Amino acid sequence: MSRFQAVLQEKNNQLTDVVVRYLCRCSDREKELIKLIADSGSSEIYQLCTGKINPENRPKSDADRAAFASQPGNPQKGNGYFSQKAQCQNCHKVAGWGGDFGPDLSHVGSSKTVKQLITAVLNPSAEISPEWQGWFVTTAEGQTFYGRQIDVGLNNAELLNVTGEFVNYKNPKKYGMASASLMPEGLENMLTEEEFRDLIAWLSSLK
């Protein structure tokens, strides 16, 4: 256990990550290790070892998370969370990289304040630009699909889906504007408080 405690005393760099993963995988004292990590207060190492976010590091409300995220974060770390953990890059493009389903965020730090960025993640439906309005199509079989840029014909409706493909639905039962944002709610739950703060710091740095 002493070697694990020594790792916890080090800064959480790449070597620490590798060592923590190895010890957690190989040790037969997993519960004791996890308690030690939780007591150390390091949410990053806890997540490395368990694959889960430490419940103690989850905010009690969106207001608590917003207050924490408004403090200075680490933009460099936030860049990684954008493309990997939160999977924002699947729909959003930055500097030419990413998807086209959502708005290009290459200069979002110039157009939105930190408070607006936090709200955009915690409550995606709070503000929806007309050009990014979502639409739905309900098929004759009763299935409902969502997308963008609806194109309606005589007996069909076509939607742009998240993969960038247009899908044609024959004889739809109904179609119309989606009442909520196409960006799903709850993405912030994939991140710890610290990670969410770093993500907001990185978005804010995009000028």
Side-chain angles (χ1 to χ4, degrees), residues 17 33 87 96 104 120 129 170 179 186 191:
D17 292 354
L33 286 174
Q87 300 178 5
D104 189 314
S129 300
K170 299 290 186 181
S179 59
L191 304 172

Side-chain angles (χ1 to χ4, degrees), residues 142-192:
Q143 291 181 293
T144 300
F145 299 90
Y146 293 88
R148 282 183 40 233
Q149 299 178 358
I150 191 168
D151 185 14
V152 180
L154 183 61
N155 295 305
N156 69 292
E158 192 174 58
L159 283 181
L160 176 68
N161 65 20
V162 69
T163 66
E165 298 176 310
F166 280 96
V167 180
N168 196 301
Y169 301 93
K170 299 290 186 181
N171 301 310
K173 186 176 182 180
K174 60 180 178 178
Y175 54 83
M177 290 172 40
S179 59
S181 171
L182 294 177
M183 177 174 167
E185 295 185 356
L187 293 178
E188 70 280 359
N189 292 322
M190 302 172 69
L191 304 172
T192 65

Side-chain angles (χ1 to χ4, degrees), residues 31-103:
K31 291 184 179 179
E32 190 175 349
L33 286 174
I34 291 175
K35 182 180 185 306
L36 183 61
I37 296 169
D39 292 343
S40 77
S42 173
S43 58
E44 289 185 9
I45 296 181
Y46 182 96
Q47 199 168 0
L48 278 172
C49 193
T50 65
K52 302 176 182 178
I53 296 176
N54 189 343
E56 297 300 320
N57 292 101
R58 283 194 178 278
K60 302 299 185 293
S61 67
D62 281 354
D64 290 342
R65 189 186 289 274
F68 187 83
S70 64
Q71 303 169 25
N74 186 324
Q76 290 183 322
K77 287 185 176 182
N79 185 357
Y81 303 144
F82 177 87
S83 59
Q84 298 172 18
K85 297 196 66 175
Q87 300 178 5
C88 311
Q89 206 166 32
N90 290 345
C91 295
H92 297 283
K93 185 174 290 184
V94 172
W97 293 92
D100 294 316
F101 194 68

Side-chain angles (χ1 to χ4, degrees), residues 95-159:
W97 293 92
D100 294 316
F101 194 68
D104 189 314
L105 302 181
S106 298
H107 306 288
V108 70
S110 296
S111 60
K112 291 188 180 295
T113 65
V114 169
K115 183 177 180 180
Q116 288 174 320
L117 289 171
I118 293 171
T119 300
V121 178
L122 296 181
N123 186 9
S125 299
E127 180 182 354
I128 304 174
S129 300
E131 64 267 33
W132 298 103
Q133 173 63 52
W135 296 81
F136 75 88
V137 170
T138 300
T139 66
E141 294 75 29
Q143 291 181 293
T144 300
F145 299 90
Y146 293 88
R148 282 183 40 233
Q149 299 178 358
I150 191 168
D151 185 14
V152 180
L154 183 61
N155 295 305
N156 69 292
E158 192 174 58
L159 283 181

